[in-house]
Amino acid sequence: MNIAEEIVISPLKDELIEDINKTNDYFNVFGKVVPSLQSGKWSFEEILFDETKEIRFPDDKLDWSRYINREDKALFLAYKNHNCIGQIRIIKDWNRFCYIENIATKKEFRGYGIGKLLLTKAEEWAKKRKLIGMSLETQDDNLGACRFYVKQGFILGGVDTLKQSYNPNIETTLYWYKLFNSSFGLE
């Protein structure tokens, strides 16, 4: 049976706030993206690390009530059998993109289409607000996430070599975009 068929995606409500950080699991860092700009177009190659390591982002501590019933931001949670297994947190950005602040799936449910379902929900939310696409950022050492975004139709639109200057393990922040209408000439 397709696990994605058993998933319920719910917008954030007060009674679900306690579930938000349950999706913040460890993930494998096994390689990095090396971007290059040629003739105004970004491309990249992958470099695999000799050793894989597991890392986890710190839990977010935000005023979650600001994501409930808002026109300019939302948080959707994915549930299987009433257990929270994924989330996507989005905002309506100044540039008419839906900016994905966070997307996460519990470790044991990765690879089953949960992330894709959450992205689809974000895309529906963005199109309802007449936004032109979705955007997000990753670090160059999160190759797994980068591969996922490319598979979901995102393209590399830019890089920043200074944003993570405080972190000696990250050389580059990568900016990914998915446009809804190819008339913008970037798809």
Side-chain angles (χ1 to χ4, degrees), residues 106-134:
K106 290 201 61 67
K107 194 174 190 174
E108 63 268 27
F109 291 98
R110 293 181 190 147
Y112 290 102
I114 310 307
K116 183 176 183 169
L117 285 173
L118 289 165
L119 281 175
T120 299
K121 189 68 170 175
E123 189 168 327
E124 291 169 3
W125 181 91
K127 286 179 175 176
K128 185 176 174 189
R129 285 153 182 80
K130 300 189 179 359
L131 301 180
I132 63 172
M134 297 191 295

Side-chain angles (χ1 to χ4, degrees), residues 67-99:
Y67 289 84
I68 299 173
N69 294 323
R70 294 284 300 266
E71 190 58 30
D72 63 338
K73 58 180 71 174
L75 196 154
F76 295 99
L77 298 167
Y79 288 88
K80 181 178 186 300
N81 300 328
H82 305 289
N83 293 312
C84 186
I85 62 168
Q87 66 147 294
I88 191 165
R89 189 171 76 232
I90 54 180
I91 63 170
K92 181 179 175 182
D93 214 347
W94 64 270
N95 58 2
R96 294 190 51 220
F97 276 88
C98 169
Y99 180 75

Side-chain angles (χ1 to χ4, degrees), residues 7-121:
I7 304 305
V8 174
I9 297 181
S10 174
L12 185 62
K13 302 175 207 146
D14 283 325
E15 60 270 20
L16 303 179
I17 288 175
E18 65 188 30
D19 290 341
I20 293 169
N21 286 318
K22 290 180 180 176
T23 62
N24 188 18
D25 278 351
Y26 282 86
F27 61 94
N28 289 328
V29 173
F30 57 89
K32 72 179 195 169
V33 168
V34 180
S36 80
L37 181 64
Q38 295 171 341
S39 303
K41 190 166 173 96
W42 286 102
S43 63
F44 60 90
E45 35 178 303
E46 297 179 358
I47 295 178
L48 298 179
F49 297 147
D50 292 333
E51 292 182 25
T52 297
K53 63 180 176 178
E54 273 196 336
I55 65 170
R56 180 183 180 275
F57 293 122
D59 283 346
D60 288 321
K61 293 174 177 45
L62 300 174
D63 179 356
W64 300 115
S65 66
R66 293 176 165 251
Y67 289 84
I68 299 173
N69 294 323
R70 294 284 300 266
E71 190 58 30
D72 63 338
K73 58 180 71 174
L75 196 154
F76 295 99
L77 298 167
Y79 288 88
K80 181 178 186 300
N81 300 328
H82 305 289
N83 293 312
C84 186
I85 62 168
Q87 66 147 294
I88 191 165
R89 189 171 76 232
I90 54 180
I91 63 170
K92 181 179 175 182
D93 214 347
W94 64 270
N95 58 2
R96 294 190 51 220
F97 276 88
C98 169
Y99 180 75
I100 299 169
E101 293 182 318
N102 189 36
I103 182 170
T105 303
K106 290 201 61 67
K107 194 174 190 174
E108 63 268 27
F109 291 98
R110 293 181 190 147
Y112 290 102
I114 310 307
K116 183 176 183 169
L117 285 173
L118 289 165
L119 281 175
T120 299
K121 189 68 170 175

Side-chain angles (χ1 to χ4, degrees), residues 98-183:
C98 169
Y99 180 75
I100 299 169
E101 293 182 318
N102 189 36
I103 182 170
T105 303
K106 290 201 61 67
K107 194 174 190 174
E108 63 268 27
F109 291 98
R110 293 181 190 147
Y112 290 102
I114 310 307
K116 183 176 183 169
L117 285 173
L118 289 165
L119 281 175
T120 299
K121 189 68 170 175
E123 189 168 327
E124 291 169 3
W125 181 91
K127 286 179 175 176
K128 185 176 174 189
R129 285 153 182 80
K130 300 189 179 359
L131 301 180
I132 63 172
M134 297 191 295
S135 68
L136 58 93
E137 65 183 68
T138 63
Q139 291 70 45
D140 62 347
D141 69 342
N142 195 348
L143 182 55
C146 293
R147 285 177 173 175
F148 170 73
Y149 299 127
V150 168
K151 186 176 178 186
Q152 302 309 315
F154 284 76
I155 59 169
L156 184 59
V159 304
D160 186 333
T161 58
L162 297 175
K163 187 168 189 173
Q164 299 283 340
S165 294
Y166 69 93
N167 188 337
N169 300 317
I170 299 172
E171 292 178 25
T172 307
T173 299
L174 307 169
Y175 295 93
W176 300 92
Y177 297 87
K178 180 177 182 181
L179 293 160
F180 299 148
N181 182 339
S182 61
S183 68

